[in-house]
Amino acid sequence: MASAVARPLSFWRGIFYLLLGTGLVLTVIRFTQGLGAVTNLSDRYPWGLWIGFDLLCGVGLAAGGFVITAAVYIFHIERLRPIARPALLTAFLGYLLVMVALMFDLGRPWNIWHPMVMWNPTSVMFEVAWCVMLYSTVLALEFSGMVFEKFRWKRAAKVQKILTIPLVILGVMLSTLHQSSLGTMYLIVPGKLHALWYSPMLPILFFVSAVSVGLAMVIVESKLSSRAFGRGLEMPILTEVGRVLVGALGLYGFMRIFDLFNRGMLGEAFTFSYESSMFLVEFGLGVILPMVILASSRRRASEKWLYAGSLFAVMGFVVNRMNVSMTGFEGAQGGHYIPSWAEVMITLMLVAVGFAAFSWIVNNFPVYPEEAKEPEVATREPAGVPEAETTAPWERVLIER
Amino acid sequence: MEAAQQRAILFDLTRCSGCGKCVEACMQKQGFEGDPSKVKDMSATAYCSLNTVSNPEDSDDEYTYRDLCRHCVEPSCVSVCPVGALDKTELGPVVYDADKCMGCRYCMTACPFNVPRYEWDSPVPTVRKCDMCFDLQSKGEDTACATACSYGATICGTREELLEEARSRIEEDPDDYYPHIYGEHEVGGTSVLFLSPFPVEELGFDPKLGTDPMPVYTWRVLEKIPGVAITAGATMCALWWLTNRRNAVRDHEAREKIQAKAAKAAKKNGSNHEENGHG
Ligand code: SF4
Ligand code: SF4
């Protein structure tokens, strides 16, 4: 048993340290030699992977947090409650990572606080900056409930509980604003962004796609953590989420096609040019395929199919954001932007750290309902530490079961 | 100050000899090293460049044009900068303050003419672009490039004066010019104006861009934000109350039903008892 567990463990541990080590070296280079030393960014492509993936996808994939908390606390859909906390945690970590990624991407990260005092309300970026700051605070406060519970700070927990509803409402408002604002950011480049992606509807499309990918992420993340922590899946709940996901994808797909048709660009989508192919990948992978898979209630009830459908939706979403931020610019800007391996490595390092943090928090705080009942006796007894405890907690998330 | 009274530059392709004196003067003024004749594109150490463009009807008929920041009347870069590091001065030039800048490079993405350049190889990078010799012009002097040009291809003045001059040049030699002042209306107007013998898209005046100032595209959405935020918040509050109430009513009804059932059952039992008792 022990050796069977140990092998994949050391494998993933190796990968983690490799990513961390390389990432840290690259970090030093980045901050001592400038962005040019590690990235493929240029005057033609001032924004690359760190904006396209780390920021746009990071924020989008964290949308599950506000969608599920809204469903539970605002719509009072009680059966979703068991997945509210993990979704919240994912969102919280997602935003923290987005901020760390921004520290890498900003040329002068030590000025990151400037939007607080130097206002420019005509700037979408200014609005995004404020929303990210405020929403991260809201998420921290929402998450604090788990901390209070763990340390049994009854009074604080009580206050936090009273604040839950206002916090959730605030969270929904802020998320609505900045999920769409990430799309608004691109409205200023009608001459640069390819017509398959540039649309006056970008803000709405960004919002609706974020809601659906938020749902998909909840399913993906439940599946991953059920594997890592050896928990059962809340299949009836997730099947329900899958059903809503089909609806959300349907709405998004309809809006996307309607928008293309409206602007006379539907034909453009099938010319099989570079842009058209990328659009077809994005739409086929992220909208059509998951809808086909999840349309059948039998497949929705199957763990494998549900996971596959959601995973495709997430992948399509990522391709969409990369298209908006990179592919769509290549026609007007000339040449190609391909991220450097260092940009990729630093991104992977951040993702790995995110997994590690998630796992550590799940092991130490009452994120999942069952664990809420377990007292911390086990950790107080140094003698006879169970086998699992000898491995770093983040590793457990990576263990193949 | 009205845009008409702001300082501006007029560049006339028909008069440019391609001598490169403007680029040289610019680099000297900014203290940039390097060979001015080799500058083919703007860079962090060259704020303007000279390029050639040929007549679409006769490819041997070549002209030189200058590329530089257009100092737009309503600049995208100024509107998108989250910290106000870029500023459209009263005087006209669009200037940059590195101490405010956080290096997000949204200005570079947003500029419709691909003007701002970045110091990619510096750990303390700044955005680099032409500032229309703000220091000189504040003292009432012409820009370095205009002073250096001996052909009248680059001249400096108020936007109004230069539009006037451009119109009269077209009027006097209608055969030499395509009757259009590039930058008069494009993207809401720019403070660097161009005259050309033929239509030129190379100048970055993409006809697709139209005459709306670019910041309008985002502002149309941004101005709706307070409304959207309030609506979203109010809707959430209403839904919270509604579903809460619905659940409460449902629970209440369920409870009543159970109670009623219990009462009925009790009654039935009771009457049974009675019957039994009597029987
Ligand atoms: S040309 Fe570009 S950099 Fe210059 S003022 Fe206009 S938007 Fe700003
Ligand atoms: S890079 Fe600097 S100047 Fe440009 S938009 Fe960002 S903060 Fe403003």
Side-chain angles (χ1 to χ4, degrees), chain A residues 36 43 46-47 74 76 105 107-108 111 114 120 122-123 127 185 192, chain B residues 79-81 98 100-101 104-106 109 111 114 117 120 125 225 243:
Chain A
D43 290 331
W47 283 355
I74 308 291
H76 294 99
D105 188 72
R108 304 176 147 242
N111 287 343
H114 277 184
N120 181 15
T122 62
S123 166
E127 196 233 317
M185 244 166 43
K192 293 188 187 179
Chain B
S79 109
V80 300
C81 177
K100 288 186 177 173
C101 174
C104 66
R105 310 185 298 285
Y106 195 10
T109 300
C111 170
N114 279 326
R117 296 294 188 262
W120 295 107
I225 280 183
T243 50

PDB file of all heavy atoms in Angstrom, chain A residues 36 43 46-47 74 76 105 107-108 111 114 120 122-123 127 185 192, chain B residues 79-81 98 100-101 104-106 109 111 114 117 120 125 225 243:
ATOM      1  N   GLY A  36      11.322  42.078 -20.723  1.00  0.00           N
ATOM      2  CA  GLY A  36      11.860  41.579 -21.984  1.00  0.00           C
ATOM      3  C   GLY A  36      12.725  40.342 -21.807  1.00  0.00           C
ATOM      4  O   GLY A  36      12.828  39.518 -22.704  1.00  0.00           O
ATOM      5  N   ASP A  43       6.447  45.768 -28.380  1.00  0.00           N
ATOM      6  CA  ASP A  43       5.622  46.956 -28.560  1.00  0.00           C
ATOM      7  C   ASP A  43       4.360  46.643 -29.359  1.00  0.00           C
ATOM      8  O   ASP A  43       3.350  47.302 -29.223  1.00  0.00           O
ATOM      9  CB  ASP A  43       6.434  48.044 -29.267  1.00  0.00           C
ATOM     10  CG  ASP A  43       7.522  48.592 -28.341  1.00  0.00           C
ATOM     11  OD1 ASP A  43       7.311  48.572 -27.119  1.00  0.00           O
ATOM     12  OD2 ASP A  43       8.578  49.022 -28.842  1.00  0.00           O
ATOM     13  N   PRO A  46       1.815  44.201 -26.463  1.00  0.00           N
ATOM     14  CA  PRO A  46       2.137  44.587 -25.085  1.00  0.00           C
ATOM     15  C   PRO A  46       1.458  43.696 -24.045  1.00  0.00           C
ATOM     16  O   PRO A  46       1.875  43.673 -22.898  1.00  0.00           O
ATOM     17  CB  PRO A  46       1.647  46.027 -24.989  1.00  0.00           C
ATOM     18  CG  PRO A  46       0.647  46.179 -26.080  1.00  0.00           C
ATOM     19  CD  PRO A  46       1.041  45.230 -27.159  1.00  0.00           C
ATOM     20  N   TRP A  47       0.414  42.995 -24.449  1.00  0.00           N
ATOM     21  CA  TRP A  47      -0.267  42.081 -23.531  1.00  0.00           C
ATOM     22  C   TRP A  47      -0.129  40.658 -24.040  1.00  0.00           C
ATOM     23  O   TRP A  47      -0.350  40.396 -25.224  1.00  0.00           O
ATOM     24  CB  TRP A  47      -1.760  42.407 -23.434  1.00  0.00           C
ATOM     25  CG  TRP A  47      -2.054  43.604 -22.587  1.00  0.00           C
ATOM     26  CD1 TRP A  47      -1.161  44.331 -21.849  1.00  0.00           C
ATOM     27  CD2 TRP A  47      -3.330  44.226 -22.406  1.00  0.00           C
ATOM     28  NE1 TRP A  47      -1.813  45.359 -21.216  1.00  0.00           N
ATOM     29  CE2 TRP A  47      -3.124  45.318 -21.528  1.00  0.00           C
ATOM     30  CE3 TRP A  47      -4.619  43.964 -22.872  1.00  0.00           C
ATOM     31  CZ2 TRP A  47      -4.176  46.150 -21.129  1.00  0.00           C
ATOM     32  CZ3 TRP A  47      -5.650  44.790 -22.477  1.00  0.00           C
ATOM     33  CH2 TRP A  47      -5.426  45.866 -21.609  1.00  0.00           C
ATOM     34  N   ILE A  74     -29.069  33.791  -1.914  1.00  0.00           N
ATOM     35  CA  ILE A  74     -30.071  34.724  -2.441  1.00  0.00           C
ATOM     36  C   ILE A  74     -31.301  33.960  -2.926  1.00  0.00           C
ATOM     37  O   ILE A  74     -32.427  34.299  -2.610  1.00  0.00           O
ATOM     38  CB  ILE A  74     -29.500  35.546  -3.615  1.00  0.00           C
ATOM     39  CG1 ILE A  74     -28.180  36.197  -3.228  1.00  0.00           C
ATOM     40  CG2 ILE A  74     -30.509  36.583  -4.073  1.00  0.00           C
ATOM     41  CD1 ILE A  74     -28.271  37.287  -2.221  1.00  0.00           C
ATOM     42  N   HIS A  76     -31.916  30.909  -2.178  1.00  0.00           N
ATOM     43  CA  HIS A  76     -32.269  29.914  -1.162  1.00  0.00           C
ATOM     44  C   HIS A  76     -32.394  28.511  -1.729  1.00  0.00           C
ATOM     45  O   HIS A  76     -33.329  27.779  -1.402  1.00  0.00           O
ATOM     46  CB  HIS A  76     -33.570  30.305  -0.461  1.00  0.00           C
ATOM     47  CG  HIS A  76     -33.424  31.546   0.342  1.00  0.00           C
ATOM     48  ND1 HIS A  76     -33.819  32.777  -0.110  1.00  0.00           N
ATOM     49  CD2 HIS A  76     -32.906  31.756   1.570  1.00  0.00           C
ATOM     50  CE1 HIS A  76     -33.559  33.688   0.798  1.00  0.00           C
ATOM     51  NE2 HIS A  76     -33.003  33.108   1.833  1.00  0.00           N
ATOM     52  N   ASP A 105       3.127  40.902 -14.155  1.00  0.00           N
ATOM     53  CA  ASP A 105       2.879  41.520 -15.448  1.00  0.00           C
ATOM     54  C   ASP A 105       3.076  43.030 -15.435  1.00  0.00           C
ATOM     55  O   ASP A 105       3.547  43.601 -16.416  1.00  0.00           O
ATOM     56  CB  ASP A 105       1.464  41.193 -15.924  1.00  0.00           C
ATOM     57  CG  ASP A 105       1.243  41.662 -17.343  1.00  0.00           C
ATOM     58  OD1 ASP A 105       1.816  41.038 -18.258  1.00  0.00           O
ATOM     59  OD2 ASP A 105       0.550  42.673 -17.543  1.00  0.00           O
ATOM     60  N   GLY A 107       4.570  46.548 -15.229  1.00  0.00           N
ATOM     61  CA  GLY A 107       5.952  46.996 -15.355  1.00  0.00           C
ATOM     62  C   GLY A 107       6.460  47.630 -14.076  1.00  0.00           C
ATOM     63  O   GLY A 107       7.633  47.533 -13.733  1.00  0.00           O
ATOM     64  N   ARG A 108       5.549  48.296 -13.358  1.00  0.00           N
ATOM     65  CA  ARG A 108       5.942  48.949 -12.115  1.00  0.00           C
ATOM     66  C   ARG A 108       5.017  48.491 -10.994  1.00  0.00           C
ATOM     67  O   ARG A 108       4.178  49.258 -10.506  1.00  0.00           O
ATOM     68  CB  ARG A 108       5.833  50.467 -12.283  1.00  0.00           C
ATOM     69  CG  ARG A 108       6.633  50.984 -13.437  1.00  0.00           C
ATOM     70  CD  ARG A 108       6.431  52.475 -13.647  1.00  0.00           C
ATOM     71  NE  ARG A 108       7.663  53.042 -14.152  1.00  0.00           N
ATOM     72  CZ  ARG A 108       8.376  53.965 -13.511  1.00  0.00           C
ATOM     73  NH1 ARG A 108       7.962  54.455 -12.375  1.00  0.00           N
ATOM     74  NH2 ARG A 108       9.508  54.392 -14.020  1.00  0.00           N
ATOM     75  N   ASN A 111       3.702  50.243  -7.863  1.00  0.00           N
ATOM     76  CA  ASN A 111       2.685  51.289  -7.936  1.00  0.00           C
ATOM     77  C   ASN A 111       1.276  50.716  -8.048  1.00  0.00           C
ATOM     78  O   ASN A 111       0.342  51.431  -8.391  1.00  0.00           O
ATOM     79  CB  ASN A 111       2.938  52.200  -9.141  1.00  0.00           C
ATOM     80  CG  ASN A 111       4.123  53.113  -8.917  1.00  0.00           C
ATOM     81  OD1 ASN A 111       4.552  53.287  -7.774  1.00  0.00           O
ATOM     82  ND2 ASN A 111       4.657  53.690  -9.977  1.00  0.00           N
ATOM     83  N   HIS A 114      -1.732  52.590  -6.802  1.00  0.00           N
ATOM     84  CA  HIS A 114      -2.050  53.932  -7.308  1.00  0.00           C
ATOM     85  C   HIS A 114      -3.516  54.179  -7.670  1.00  0.00           C
ATOM     86  O   HIS A 114      -4.014  55.266  -7.424  1.00  0.00           O
ATOM     87  CB  HIS A 114      -1.136  54.275  -8.489  1.00  0.00           C
ATOM     88  CG  HIS A 114       0.199  54.803  -8.043  1.00  0.00           C
ATOM     89  ND1 HIS A 114       1.162  55.250  -8.916  1.00  0.00           N
ATOM     90  CD2 HIS A 114       0.719  54.958  -6.809  1.00  0.00           C
ATOM     91  CE1 HIS A 114       2.223  55.648  -8.223  1.00  0.00           C
ATOM     92  NE2 HIS A 114       1.980  55.467  -6.954  1.00  0.00           N
ATOM     93  N   ASN A 120      -9.082  57.727 -12.292  1.00  0.00           N
ATOM     94  CA  ASN A 120      -9.428  58.073 -13.659  1.00  0.00           C
ATOM     95  C   ASN A 120     -10.653  57.266 -14.065  1.00  0.00           C
ATOM     96  O   ASN A 120     -10.539  56.186 -14.637  1.00  0.00           O
ATOM     97  CB  ASN A 120      -8.269  57.799 -14.616  1.00  0.00           C
ATOM     98  CG  ASN A 120      -8.642  58.198 -16.029  1.00  0.00           C
ATOM     99  OD1 ASN A 120      -9.620  58.904 -16.243  1.00  0.00           O
ATOM    100  ND2 ASN A 120      -7.876  57.732 -17.007  1.00  0.00           N
ATOM    101  N   THR A 122     -12.687  57.321 -16.398  1.00  0.00           N
ATOM    102  CA  THR A 122     -12.967  56.941 -17.786  1.00  0.00           C
ATOM    103  C   THR A 122     -12.252  55.648 -18.145  1.00  0.00           C
ATOM    104  O   THR A 122     -12.485  55.092 -19.209  1.00  0.00           O
ATOM    105  CB  THR A 122     -12.509  58.014 -18.794  1.00  0.00           C
ATOM    106  OG1 THR A 122     -11.090  58.159 -18.685  1.00  0.00           O
ATOM    107  CG2 THR A 122     -13.184  59.346 -18.545  1.00  0.00           C
ATOM    108  N   SER A 123     -11.378  55.167 -17.267  1.00  0.00           N
ATOM    109  CA  SER A 123     -10.602  53.985 -17.588  1.00  0.00           C
ATOM    110  C   SER A 123     -11.289  52.717 -17.095  1.00  0.00           C
ATOM    111  O   SER A 123     -11.631  52.598 -15.920  1.00  0.00           O
ATOM    112  CB  SER A 123      -9.224  54.091 -16.942  1.00  0.00           C
ATOM    113  OG  SER A 123      -8.581  52.836 -16.969  1.00  0.00           O
ATOM    114  N   GLU A 127     -11.711  50.774 -13.198  1.00  0.00           N
ATOM    115  CA  GLU A 127     -12.883  50.131 -12.612  1.00  0.00           C
ATOM    116  C   GLU A 127     -12.569  48.677 -12.249  1.00  0.00           C
ATOM    117  O   GLU A 127     -12.925  48.213 -11.168  1.00  0.00           O
ATOM    118  CB  GLU A 127     -14.034  50.199 -13.614  1.00  0.00           C
ATOM    119  CG  GLU A 127     -15.372  49.914 -13.002  1.00  0.00           C
ATOM    120  CD  GLU A 127     -16.092  48.833 -13.750  1.00  0.00           C
ATOM    121  OE1 GLU A 127     -16.082  48.855 -14.984  1.00  0.00           O
ATOM    122  OE2 GLU A 127     -16.646  47.947 -13.078  1.00  0.00           O
ATOM    123  N   MET A 185     -13.060  46.298 -21.582  1.00  0.00           N
ATOM    124  CA  MET A 185     -11.683  46.718 -21.793  1.00  0.00           C
ATOM    125  C   MET A 185     -11.310  46.701 -23.273  1.00  0.00           C
ATOM    126  O   MET A 185     -10.542  47.515 -23.744  1.00  0.00           O
ATOM    127  CB  MET A 185     -10.751  45.762 -21.051  1.00  0.00           C
ATOM    128  CG  MET A 185      -9.979  46.441 -19.959  1.00  0.00           C
ATOM    129  SD  MET A 185      -9.168  45.329 -18.818  1.00  0.00           S
ATOM    130  CE  MET A 185      -8.431  44.062 -19.773  1.00  0.00           C
ATOM    131  N   LYS A 192      -8.277  47.079 -34.004  1.00  0.00           N
ATOM    132  CA  LYS A 192      -7.233  46.069 -33.827  1.00  0.00           C
ATOM    133  C   LYS A 192      -7.770  44.661 -33.639  1.00  0.00           C
ATOM    134  O   LYS A 192      -7.154  43.700 -34.046  1.00  0.00           O
ATOM    135  CB  LYS A 192      -6.384  46.411 -32.596  1.00  0.00           C
ATOM    136  CG  LYS A 192      -5.565  47.671 -32.736  1.00  0.00           C
ATOM    137  CD  LYS A 192      -4.628  47.800 -31.553  1.00  0.00           C
ATOM    138  CE  LYS A 192      -3.896  49.115 -31.554  1.00  0.00           C
ATOM    139  NZ  LYS A 192      -3.011  49.238 -30.395  1.00  0.00           N
TER     140      LYS A 192
ATOM    141  N   SER B  79      -7.542  58.283 -21.838  1.00  0.00           N
ATOM    142  CA  SER B  79      -8.803  57.801 -21.283  1.00  0.00           C
ATOM    143  C   SER B  79      -8.652  56.432 -20.616  1.00  0.00           C
ATOM    144  O   SER B  79      -9.339  56.142 -19.646  1.00  0.00           O
ATOM    145  CB  SER B  79      -9.875  57.761 -22.371  1.00  0.00           C
ATOM    146  OG  SER B  79     -10.196  56.452 -22.728  1.00  0.00           O
ATOM    147  N   VAL B  80      -7.738  55.577 -21.107  1.00  0.00           N
ATOM    148  CA  VAL B  80      -7.658  54.228 -20.533  1.00  0.00           C
ATOM    149  C   VAL B  80      -6.694  54.121 -19.356  1.00  0.00           C
ATOM    150  O   VAL B  80      -6.737  53.146 -18.611  1.00  0.00           O
ATOM    151  CB  VAL B  80      -7.236  53.167 -21.573  1.00  0.00           C
ATOM    152  CG1 VAL B  80      -8.224  53.112 -22.712  1.00  0.00           C
ATOM    153  CG2 VAL B  80      -5.820  53.397 -22.051  1.00  0.00           C
ATOM    154  N   CYS B  81      -5.830  55.098 -19.175  1.00  0.00           N
ATOM    155  CA  CYS B  81      -4.827  54.944 -18.115  1.00  0.00           C
ATOM    156  C   CYS B  81      -5.503  54.972 -16.740  1.00  0.00           C
ATOM    157  O   CYS B  81      -6.128  55.962 -16.376  1.00  0.00           O
ATOM    158  CB  CYS B  81      -3.777  56.050 -18.201  1.00  0.00           C
ATOM    159  SG  CYS B  81      -2.594  55.934 -16.860  1.00  0.00           S
ATOM    160  N   ALA B  98       5.955  59.237 -15.339  1.00  0.00           N
ATOM    161  CA  ALA B  98       6.399  57.890 -14.967  1.00  0.00           C
ATOM    162  C   ALA B  98       6.156  57.593 -13.484  1.00  0.00           C
ATOM    163  O   ALA B  98       5.965  56.435 -13.109  1.00  0.00           O
ATOM    164  CB  ALA B  98       7.876  57.714 -15.291  1.00  0.00           C
ATOM    165  N   LYS B 100       3.592  58.193 -11.730  1.00  0.00           N
ATOM    166  CA  LYS B 100       2.241  57.683 -11.492  1.00  0.00           C
ATOM    167  C   LYS B 100       2.055  56.290 -12.098  1.00  0.00           C
ATOM    168  O   LYS B 100       1.338  55.459 -11.564  1.00  0.00           O
ATOM    169  CB  LYS B 100       1.210  58.619 -12.123  1.00  0.00           C
ATOM    170  CG  LYS B 100       1.047  59.943 -11.407  1.00  0.00           C
ATOM    171  CD  LYS B 100      -0.109  60.714 -12.035  1.00  0.00           C
ATOM    172  CE  LYS B 100      -0.350  62.021 -11.284  1.00  0.00           C
ATOM    173  NZ  LYS B 100      -1.351  62.840 -11.983  1.00  0.00           N
ATOM    174  N   CYS B 101       2.667  56.060 -13.262  1.00  0.00           N
ATOM    175  CA  CYS B 101       2.444  54.863 -14.083  1.00  0.00           C
ATOM    176  C   CYS B 101       2.667  53.580 -13.291  1.00  0.00           C
ATOM    177  O   CYS B 101       3.612  53.455 -12.526  1.00  0.00           O
ATOM    178  CB  CYS B 101       3.398  54.896 -15.276  1.00  0.00           C
ATOM    179  SG  CYS B 101       3.370  53.420 -16.288  1.00  0.00           S
ATOM    180  N   CYS B 104       0.767  49.027 -16.683  1.00  0.00           N
ATOM    181  CA  CYS B 104      -0.206  48.032 -17.140  1.00  0.00           C
ATOM    182  C   CYS B 104      -0.200  47.909 -18.667  1.00  0.00           C
ATOM    183  O   CYS B 104      -0.675  46.941 -19.215  1.00  0.00           O
ATOM    184  CB  CYS B 104      -1.602  48.392 -16.668  1.00  0.00           C
ATOM    185  SG  CYS B 104      -2.231  49.907 -17.395  1.00  0.00           S
ATOM    186  N   ARG B 105       0.281  48.941 -19.347  1.00  0.00           N
ATOM    187  CA  ARG B 105       0.410  48.950 -20.801  1.00  0.00           C
ATOM    188  C   ARG B 105      -0.939  48.937 -21.540  1.00  0.00           C
ATOM    189  O   ARG B 105      -1.012  48.588 -22.710  1.00  0.00           O
ATOM    190  CB  ARG B 105       1.297  47.788 -21.279  1.00  0.00           C
ATOM    191  CG  ARG B 105       2.605  47.731 -20.514  1.00  0.00           C
ATOM    192  CD  ARG B 105       3.540  46.699 -21.016  1.00  0.00           C
ATOM    193  NE  ARG B 105       3.045  45.342 -20.925  1.00  0.00           N
ATOM    194  CZ  ARG B 105       2.976  44.648 -19.797  1.00  0.00           C
ATOM    195  NH1 ARG B 105       3.361  45.169 -18.662  1.00  0.00           N
ATOM    196  NH2 ARG B 105       2.512  43.413 -19.806  1.00  0.00           N
ATOM    197  N   TYR B 106      -1.982  49.341 -20.826  1.00  0.00           N
ATOM    198  CA  TYR B 106      -3.281  49.478 -21.498  1.00  0.00           C
ATOM    199  C   TYR B 106      -3.191  50.586 -22.547  1.00  0.00           C
ATOM    200  O   TYR B 106      -3.812  50.510 -23.602  1.00  0.00           O
ATOM    201  CB  TYR B 106      -4.354  49.803 -20.450  1.00  0.00           C
ATOM    202  CG  TYR B 106      -5.794  49.640 -20.895  1.00  0.00           C
ATOM    203  CD1 TYR B 106      -6.134  49.025 -22.100  1.00  0.00           C
ATOM    204  CD2 TYR B 106      -6.837  50.097 -20.082  1.00  0.00           C
ATOM    205  CE1 TYR B 106      -7.460  48.872 -22.470  1.00  0.00           C
ATOM    206  CE2 TYR B 106      -8.156  49.949 -20.455  1.00  0.00           C
ATOM    207  CZ  TYR B 106      -8.475  49.343 -21.655  1.00  0.00           C
ATOM    208  OH  TYR B 106      -9.791  49.197 -22.022  1.00  0.00           O
ATOM    209  N   THR B 109      -2.033  49.072 -25.753  1.00  0.00           N
ATOM    210  CA  THR B 109      -3.074  48.286 -26.397  1.00  0.00           C
ATOM    211  C   THR B 109      -4.126  49.202 -27.018  1.00  0.00           C
ATOM    212  O   THR B 109      -4.614  48.939 -28.111  1.00  0.00           O
ATOM    213  CB  THR B 109      -3.743  47.362 -25.359  1.00  0.00           C
ATOM    214  OG1 THR B 109      -2.751  46.497 -24.828  1.00  0.00           O
ATOM    215  CG2 THR B 109      -4.852  46.535 -25.978  1.00  0.00           C
ATOM    216  N   CYS B 111      -4.036  52.548 -27.956  1.00  0.00           N
ATOM    217  CA  CYS B 111      -3.712  53.577 -28.953  1.00  0.00           C
ATOM    218  C   CYS B 111      -4.019  53.079 -30.367  1.00  0.00           C
ATOM    219  O   CYS B 111      -3.473  52.070 -30.796  1.00  0.00           O
ATOM    220  CB  CYS B 111      -2.244  53.976 -28.867  1.00  0.00           C
ATOM    221  SG  CYS B 111      -1.721  55.013 -30.247  1.00  0.00           S
ATOM    222  N   ASN B 114      -0.866  52.667 -32.568  1.00  0.00           N
ATOM    223  CA  ASN B 114       0.267  51.856 -32.093  1.00  0.00           C
ATOM    224  C   ASN B 114       1.483  52.707 -31.758  1.00  0.00           C
ATOM    225  O   ASN B 114       2.597  52.397 -32.184  1.00  0.00           O
ATOM    226  CB  ASN B 114       0.670  50.832 -33.152  1.00  0.00           C
ATOM    227  CG  ASN B 114      -0.219  49.619 -33.113  1.00  0.00           C
ATOM    228  OD1 ASN B 114      -0.665  49.216 -32.033  1.00  0.00           O
ATOM    229  ND2 ASN B 114      -0.497  49.054 -34.265  1.00  0.00           N
ATOM    230  N   ARG B 117       5.689  53.133 -26.819  1.00  0.00           N
ATOM    231  CA  ARG B 117       6.717  52.083 -26.782  1.00  0.00           C
ATOM    232  C   ARG B 117       7.084  51.831 -25.330  1.00  0.00           C
ATOM    233  O   ARG B 117       6.856  52.672 -24.467  1.00  0.00           O
ATOM    234  CB  ARG B 117       7.954  52.541 -27.559  1.00  0.00           C
ATOM    235  CG  ARG B 117       7.689  52.753 -29.037  1.00  0.00           C
ATOM    236  CD  ARG B 117       7.356  51.420 -29.701  1.00  0.00           C
ATOM    237  NE  ARG B 117       7.272  51.514 -31.158  1.00  0.00           N
ATOM    238  CZ  ARG B 117       6.128  51.639 -31.820  1.00  0.00           C
ATOM    239  NH1 ARG B 117       4.985  51.715 -31.176  1.00  0.00           N
ATOM    240  NH2 ARG B 117       6.125  51.682 -33.143  1.00  0.00           N
ATOM    241  N   TRP B 120      11.290  47.451 -22.467  1.00  0.00           N
ATOM    242  CA  TRP B 120      11.136  46.042 -22.096  1.00  0.00           C
ATOM    243  C   TRP B 120      12.324  45.506 -21.303  1.00  0.00           C
ATOM    244  O   TRP B 120      12.191  44.549 -20.558  1.00  0.00           O
ATOM    245  CB  TRP B 120      10.913  45.187 -23.349  1.00  0.00           C
ATOM    246  CG  TRP B 120       9.620  45.525 -24.020  1.00  0.00           C
ATOM    247  CD1 TRP B 120       9.460  46.213 -25.185  1.00  0.00           C
ATOM    248  CD2 TRP B 120       8.304  45.226 -23.545  1.00  0.00           C
ATOM    249  NE1 TRP B 120       8.116  46.363 -25.464  1.00  0.00           N
ATOM    250  CE2 TRP B 120       7.392  45.762 -24.487  1.00  0.00           C
ATOM    251  CE3 TRP B 120       7.796  44.557 -22.426  1.00  0.00           C
ATOM    252  CZ2 TRP B 120       6.006  45.652 -24.338  1.00  0.00           C
ATOM    253  CZ3 TRP B 120       6.426  44.445 -22.279  1.00  0.00           C
ATOM    254  CH2 TRP B 120       5.549  44.988 -23.224  1.00  0.00           C
ATOM    255  N   PRO B 125      10.766  50.107 -15.867  1.00  0.00           N
ATOM    256  CA  PRO B 125      10.459  50.561 -17.221  1.00  0.00           C
ATOM    257  C   PRO B 125       9.516  51.767 -17.256  1.00  0.00           C
ATOM    258  O   PRO B 125       8.739  51.988 -16.335  1.00  0.00           O
ATOM    259  CB  PRO B 125       9.774  49.346 -17.843  1.00  0.00           C
ATOM    260  CG  PRO B 125       9.185  48.612 -16.688  1.00  0.00           C
ATOM    261  CD  PRO B 125      10.019  48.898 -15.488  1.00  0.00           C
ATOM    262  N   ILE B 225     -22.619  51.928 -15.673  1.00  0.00           N
ATOM    263  CA  ILE B 225     -22.253  51.092 -14.531  1.00  0.00           C
ATOM    264  C   ILE B 225     -23.031  51.381 -13.248  1.00  0.00           C
ATOM    265  O   ILE B 225     -23.533  50.448 -12.624  1.00  0.00           O
ATOM    266  CB  ILE B 225     -20.732  51.145 -14.302  1.00  0.00           C
ATOM    267  CG1 ILE B 225     -20.096  50.197 -15.298  1.00  0.00           C
ATOM    268  CG2 ILE B 225     -20.348  50.751 -12.894  1.00  0.00           C
ATOM    269  CD1 ILE B 225     -18.627  50.078 -15.180  1.00  0.00           C
ATOM    270  N   THR B 243     -37.583  34.722  -2.317  1.00  0.00           N
ATOM    271  CA  THR B 243     -37.398  33.276  -2.137  1.00  0.00           C
ATOM    272  C   THR B 243     -37.445  32.922  -0.657  1.00  0.00           C
ATOM    273  O   THR B 243     -37.929  31.858  -0.277  1.00  0.00           O
ATOM    274  CB  THR B 243     -36.055  32.803  -2.726  1.00  0.00           C
ATOM    275  OG1 THR B 243     -35.023  33.648  -2.242  1.00  0.00           O
ATOM    276  CG2 THR B 243     -36.077  32.849  -4.231  1.00  0.00           C
TER     277      THR B 243
END
